[in-house]
Amino acid sequence: AGSAARPGGHSCSDPEISWALPDTSHVSHDDLTSQVGEVLLYYCYCEVSDPERLCAWQKALCQHLHLTGKVRVASEGINGTVGGSKVATSLYIKVMLSQPLFKNILCQEDFKSSAGGAHCFPDLRVGVFKEIVPMGIDPKIVSYKETGIHLSPQEFHREVEQYLSQATQGQSDTILLDCRNFYESKIGHFQGCLAPDIRKFSYFPSYVDENLELFKDKRVLMYCTGGIRCERGSAYLRSKAVCREVYQLKGGIHKYLEEFPDGFYRGKLFVFDDRYAICSNEDIISACRYCGVLWDQYKLCSSQHCRQLVLTCPSCCNKGLTACCPVCQEKELKVTSRASGQTLKEECECTRRRPRVPIEHGSPRVLDTGK
């Protein structure tokens, strides 16, 4: 999408999927499998007539280049985050850009990169899904073709600057909306943003439905990690016809931080791989769950039946405080004494206390932080 332009969507007249794999005969095995590399994040909305065929090609391509990660394919497009050596990721981008299915849609700048490699993911997972980002609503009902107005990082930066200036004077008619989950915004977010206390993106539509009064007659500036959640999220918000206008950050926080590493985004950027977070500044805006010291490095809850993330500092870890809450801490002890094969339901203090869809009362709950 161009500057301040709403795309009308892309229509592919059933282009043939190229099965070609890149020639790697001139590349040494060590260069192709080097641990020093990068992680790519990208997505492309387009009409895919044969998702299964695209999925098979994508899996073969990633295996050929020794890439790991996750790739979602659907009739509405493709969404991927893959890691490997720089030689491998460079070849991957080249092949993706030459794929007839993505011609004139996907471009070089659509690939966001960060330091990493194949070791950032436990394996390679490529599959066909109904949506390339799981919002839980049929793409035919809420389409990416009805997305909000895209703003470049520079345009978004100016909008946030104006918003923060007006907000301090109590005159803003704008909402700076974080589309991500609570554990993402907890360790990093834009100053003065409204960050829904939701655990999954599939809860976002219900959050909007329950809080329509907040968005009535407002200008909404939306952002997420790489831009993909805003594509469908902004389309859903626009479908409610309550906002004056809906804008979204093109390329997401990833692209913003490339332009403004010391801008209005403070803290770390959460990523969905074994790194959990990447940083562009030295700010730490979150705290250890147990002692309250500044800390922003996530670990999985030590209770094997819980998938919650926990912020627990080295000092607390050394004391054995490694679970997301006291309930899980106690459950972990019980599990070790149970017979093999028995399981416990994932239920902890964290999930019980967090409503599935929080309702904002009065003024929007905003997150703010200074340097």
Side-chain angles (χ1 to χ4, degrees):
S3 172
R6 180 179 293 117
H10 303 286
S11 178
C12 301
S13 56
D14 197 16
E16 182 67 19
I17 295 175
S18 169
W19 281 89
L21 297 178
D23 177 18
T24 56
S25 60
H26 62 290
V27 181
S28 71
H29 181 77
D30 288 344
D31 285 343
L32 201 58
T33 60
S34 172
Q35 290 293 301
V36 179
E38 60 185 0
V39 171
L40 298 178
L41 176 67
Y42 74 94
Y43 67 89
C44 179
Y45 277 104
C46 61
E47 294 180 16
V48 181
S49 61
D50 194 344
E52 295 288 349
R53 184 176 173 85
L54 177 60
C55 179
W57 172 76
Q58 187 65 205
K59 184 174 182 179
L61 173 61
C62 290
Q63 290 175 336
H64 182 67
L65 296 175
H66 299 274
L67 299 175
T68 59
K70 306 170 187 176
V71 181
R72 293 175 67 98
V73 177
S75 59
E76 63 172 355
I78 186 170
N79 173 23
T81 174
V82 295
S85 70
K86 288 194 174 182
V87 170
T89 54
S90 178
L91 286 169
Y92 182 81
I93 293 174
K94 184 178 180 179
V95 173
M96 290 294 287
L97 294 179
S98 65
Q99 172 61 254
L101 187 62
F102 308 132
K103 190 176 181 180
N104 300 324
I105 304 174
L106 195 62
C107 61
Q108 182 80 35
E109 68 174 17
D110 290 324
F111 291 87
K112 302 97 183 175
S113 65
S114 55
H119 61 278
C120 294
F121 301 91
D123 51 25
L124 172 66
R125 299 180 185 180
V126 185
V128 176
F129 300 84
K130 192 166 187 176
E131 305 169 275
I132 59 173
V133 61
M135 192 170 76
I137 295 181
D138 193 320
K140 295 178 182 177
I141 297 175
V142 176
S143 171
Y144 66 89
K145 297 177 183 180
E146 302 300 326
T147 189
I149 296 173
H150 291 70
L151 298 179
S152 68
Q154 296 86 353
E155 291 168 328
F156 195 83
H157 183 79
R158 289 195 294 270
E159 284 283 351
V160 173
E161 185 174 39
Q162 183 178 6
Y163 158 70
L164 292 174
S165 175
Q166 293 176 342
T168 58
Q169 302 170 30
Q171 301 174 342
S172 181
D173 61 351
T174 301
I175 290 178
L176 180 56
L177 181 62
D178 193 320
C179 293
R180 301 172 303 157
N181 305 318
F182 77 90
Y183 53 84
E184 297 176 78
S185 59
K186 188 173 186 177
I187 63 170
H189 53 255
F190 276 95
Q191 293 172 251
C193 73
L194 168 62
D197 193 18
I198 56 175
R199 187 180 178 187
K200 300 177 181 179
F201 184 56
S202 58
Y203 296 170
F204 181 77
S206 296
Y207 174 83
V208 170
D209 292 346
E210 294 292 338
N211 295 279
L212 285 178
E213 281 299 313
L214 280 179
F215 302 106
K216 190 174 182 180
D217 299 325
K218 297 288 187 180
R219 297 173 71 253
V220 178
L221 302 174
M222 298 178 68
Y223 69 89
C224 60
T225 306
I228 188 169
R229 280 178 279 188
C230 284
E231 300 283 10
R232 295 285 307 288
S234 64
Y236 186 82
L237 187 54
R238 289 189 67 239
S239 74
K240 297 301 172 179
V242 295
C243 304
R244 273 174 44 204
E245 193 54 271
V246 180
Y247 300 89
Q248 64 191 77
L249 173 58
K250 184 182 179 183
I253 303 166
H254 245 292
K255 285 296 182 181
Y256 178 86
L257 291 178
E258 288 179 9
E259 300 280 344
F260 303 98
D262 294 307
F264 297 116
Y265 186 89
R266 311 313 309 167
K268 304 295 187 294
L269 172 58
F270 185 92
V271 290
F272 291 90
D273 57 58
D274 289 350
R275 297 171 299 172
Y276 290 126
I278 55 180
C279 63
S280 66
N281 57 65
E282 299 302 316
D283 283 4
I284 299 178
I285 66 171
S286 51
C288 171
R289 188 250 185 271
Y290 289 96
C291 71
V293 68
L294 288 176
W295 188 251
D296 60 6
Q297 296 181 34
Y298 274 121
K299 291 182 180 294
L300 277 176
C301 174
S302 55
S303 177
Q304 62 178 300
H305 299 289
C306 180
R307 301 300 297 173
Q308 294 271 14
L309 291 167
V310 58
L311 293 171
T312 176
C313 70
S315 177
C316 289
C317 280
N318 291 335
K319 296 175 184 177
L321 301 173
T322 54
C324 65
C325 67
V327 171
C328 269
Q329 195 78 50
E330 182 180 350
K331 183 169 65 174
E332 182 184 9
L333 297 175
K334 290 180 180 179
V335 169
T336 57
S337 62
R338 282 179 171 244
S340 61
Q342 288 186 296
T343 61
L344 289 174
K345 181 181 179 182
E346 180 186 337
E347 182 178 308
C348 68
E349 191 176 276
C350 301
T351 53
R352 285 206 307 265
R353 289 185 177 181
R354 175 168 286 104
R356 183 180 184 277
V357 182
I359 300 175
E360 306 290 352
H361 298 284
S363 300
R365 176 185 62 85
V366 297
L367 297 180
D368 200 359
T369 178
K371 295 194 71 173

